[in-house]
Every structure is written in structure tokens, then in C-alpha cells.
Amino acid sequence: MTDLKITKDNNNICVYERLNDDCIRLLHMYGKNPVCVVPDMLDGMRVTELAEYCFSFKSMPEKLKTELGIDDILRPDMTENIINPKLCFQF
């Protein structure tokens, strides 16, 4: 496995690998919003490539989720956003 890095802010989690001194490949990106905006730069490097299935949580290997703690980071956010089905259609 290559040397992977994670950046996290209030809205997104990005997992990337460095391609050279100033370019990176975005491997995975997850956000709290339904629309993700890919950043131009991460950690001072240009985002120049997106990996296949970059926005698919299912495509991330379980080992990677565990090693990087992605499951632990996302789990609280996921549970906060669960909609109560009893409230969905009340007027």
C-alpha cells in the first residue's frame, strides 16, 4: 500500500496519495453534504487526478478503513443524519 494521507475538515474527509512534489491523486472523498466539491489543492499540493470510485465508500478496502480510522470518523456523522421515518411525512 502506498503512503496515504488524510485531511479532514468540518465538511469533508479526503484520502489521497502523492504523485510527485506538487500533485496528488484523490483516492476517496466523503462529505456531509449531498454534493461534493473537489478542492483544487490539499496540503499545498494540486489535486490532479481522481481515482476510480473516489466517492464510493463501499469501494474502500476494509483494511484501509480500519488502518486510517475512517469508520470511526464517519460513524458519528452517519448516525446524526439518520432521518426518523415517522417524522418524514408529517404535515
Side-chain angles (χ1 to χ4, degrees):
M1 196 174 294
T2 60
D3 186 29
L4 303 179
K5 304 287 184 192
I6 295 179
T7 62
K8 180 183 177 215
D9 61 25
N10 291 333
N11 295 313
N12 297 306
I13 296 172
C14 297
V15 179
Y16 67 89
E17 65 183 348
R18 193 175 194 155
L19 297 175
N20 57 41
D21 289 340
D22 66 343
C23 297
I24 61 171
R25 175 184 298 122
L26 190 58
L27 301 173
H28 300 282
M29 182 174 178
Y30 309 104
K32 293 181 182 179
N33 300 319
V35 176
C36 288
V37 177
V38 176
D40 293 331
M41 299 186 81
L42 287 171
D43 292 339
M45 295 175 281
R46 295 180 300 131
V47 177
T48 57
E49 291 184 28
L50 299 178
E52 289 185 32
Y53 305 104
C54 178
F55 306 105
S56 171
F57 186 72
K58 290 181 181 180
S59 72
M60 182 182 280
E62 290 299 321
K63 182 178 179 184
L64 183 58
K65 290 178 192 176
T66 304
E67 286 178 6
L68 298 177
I70 298 294
D71 265 341
D72 296 332
I73 293 169
L74 290 177
R75 196 171 315 283
D77 293 338
M78 288 178 171
T79 56
E80 288 173 9
N81 293 326
I82 293 175
I83 298 171
N84 183 341
K86 293 179 183 177
L87 300 177
C88 285
F89 299 104
Q90 290 183 352
F91 297 95

